[in-house]
Amino acid sequence: MDDAEVVITPLPLDQQNSLWMWTTAQLRASGMSKHSIAAAVSAGALVRARRGRYVRRDADDDACVAAAISARLTCVTLLSKYGVFVREQPEGVHAHVPRSASRTAVPGEGVLHWRPLSTEAPAEFCAVSVLDALIHASECVDDVDFVAAVDSALHLQLLTRRDLDRLFSAVRPAKRLLRRLVNGRAESGTETIVRLLAIRLGFRVEVQKYIDGVGRVDLLLDGWLVVECDSKAHHSSWDEQREDRRRDQELAKRGYASYRALAEDILFHLDRVEAALRGYLLVGRKRRVGA
């Protein structure tokens, strides 16, 4: 082996490469000598996160923080890296350490999780499983955001129905009641948030409902009100906005009303969305009386 060469074990998912770390013992077991490890660090192929722990040169910044304290990424920090819904990026790193670990702390506004893991991750992987990240998140986010994160993980196929059983058997008893609200068909966290709000207000809610001549809509409330949860990422161009208007026009032709809730309002001004839905709820009652 060349002194500066580092063999990186391939992972199932490319994005996991930046979360890989090694101890000196693991590098030695792979065939590297002390001299070749030092040479790899000198050449920049490896970075020494702390004494006896190394990460790739392109390692994720948060993974470097975790490796430096002999911890693993978890909770909202890890979930956000997989694209699972997290309302806002955490200010500090959420990391897991075993209960047997010596006293340590995460730099800045980070959070340490001590709860034993339900799933063992590879020794070289600087992160817990998605299942354990969700278990930890159940203690850090509110109920609505927790359901949205579980929905998101299911939709992304990062969580199985069997995992769901394990998840809700591991969370606190008060959180187990949330399982009945989980719906893996939801395609975004904002959609889940609006769905839960609509249920609380008394609407009958259908998720990802197919309507002839229109296609799938995010939510159909009480069989007549279509709610789409719009974000700038997918509705910013004029072509996209024109398509939205034509869909709304087609819905109107078929007797549906439509409401496009902005993602920024859903996430940061939910009272505005609630006020709008309450208005539609009143319209629905008048419709029923008129019928």
Side-chain angles (χ1 to χ4, degrees):
M1 176 183 297
D2 186 271
D3 282 348
E5 182 183 355
V6 179
V7 176
I8 304 297
T9 305
L11 302 174
L13 299 175
D14 288 342
Q15 64 265 34
Q16 290 184 352
N17 286 340
S18 64
L19 301 180
W20 216 237
M21 66 176 178
W22 300 268
T23 63
T24 301
Q26 288 164 339
L27 292 175
R28 292 293 303 275
S30 74
M32 295 182 73
S33 65
K34 289 183 178 180
H35 175 69
S36 61
I37 293 172
V41 172
S42 179
L46 279 179
V47 175
R48 183 182 288 110
R50 64 172 296 171
R51 182 180 177 86
R53 284 190 179 269
Y54 302 84
V55 296
R56 296 167 57 99
R57 61 185 168 197
D58 59 347
D60 180 274
D61 289 344
D62 292 337
C64 291
V65 172
I69 59 172
S70 298
R72 288 178 173 176
L73 300 181
T74 189
C75 196
V76 292
T77 298
L78 182 62
L79 294 175
S80 65
K81 295 182 186 302
Y82 283 110
V84 174
F85 171 78
V86 172
R87 186 179 294 264
E88 295 182 272
Q89 292 296 318
E91 291 295 329
V93 174
H94 286 242
H96 173 268
V97 292
R99 286 183 175 174
S100 59
S102 59
R103 185 176 179 84
T104 189
V106 185
E109 298 182 29
V111 177
L112 278 182
H113 293 266
W114 300 84
R115 181 173 181 156
L117 299 178
S118 64
T119 303
E120 285 301 320
E124 300 92 346
F125 195 36
C126 194
V128 304
S129 67
V130 171
L131 173 61
D132 279 307
L134 285 168
I135 292 172
H136 295 150
S138 72
E139 303 292 333
C140 282
V141 302
D142 66 24
D143 290 352
V144 170
D145 282 12
F146 176 60
V147 174
V150 176
D151 278 0
S152 179
L154 284 170
H155 177 69
L156 294 171
Q157 298 183 344
L158 296 172
L159 196 70
T160 67
R161 290 292 171 180
R162 184 178 178 183
D163 290 333
L164 207 56
D165 293 334
R166 297 173 64 192
L167 170 61
F168 281 96
S169 66
V171 300
R172 290 188 293 109
K175 296 279 187 179
R176 293 173 190 171
L177 299 175
L178 299 174
R179 178 167 182 170
R180 61 187 175 84
L181 298 174
V182 169
N183 189 320
R185 297 183 65 198
E187 294 189 347
S188 68
T190 52
E191 183 182 318
T192 296
I193 293 170
V194 175
R195 174 171 61 86
L196 297 182
L197 171 61
I199 290 172
R200 176 166 63 81
L201 293 176
F203 283 101
R204 175 174 56 86
V205 183
E206 297 175 81
V207 179
Q208 291 297 316
K209 176 71 174 179
Y210 182 84
I211 297 176
D212 288 340
V214 177
R216 284 187 300 110
V217 298
D218 290 344
L219 302 168
L220 179 62
L221 309 187
D222 285 351
W224 67 274
L225 174 60
V226 169
V227 179
E228 300 277 24
C229 304
D230 289 352
S231 65
K232 183 178 180 180
H234 300 104
H235 302 269
S236 58
S237 73
W238 173 242
D239 286 343
E240 290 167 329
Q241 292 180 38
R242 181 170 53 194
E243 179 63 24
D244 289 341
R245 285 162 171 74
R246 285 180 173 161
R247 278 169 60 91
D248 291 344
Q249 184 173 272
E250 189 64 30
L251 286 167
K253 185 176 78 174
R254 294 169 182 271
Y256 295 94
S258 58
Y259 166 48
R260 293 189 174 274
L262 297 176
E264 60 193 78
D265 285 343
I266 297 170
L267 294 174
F268 307 113
H269 304 285
L270 192 59
D271 57 312
R272 298 174 184 173
V273 180
E274 180 171 350
L277 290 181
R278 286 186 181 278
Y280 282 115
L281 192 60
L282 182 59
V283 169
R285 288 170 182 164
K286 290 179 178 177
R287 284 168 55 119
R288 288 193 291 271
V289 171

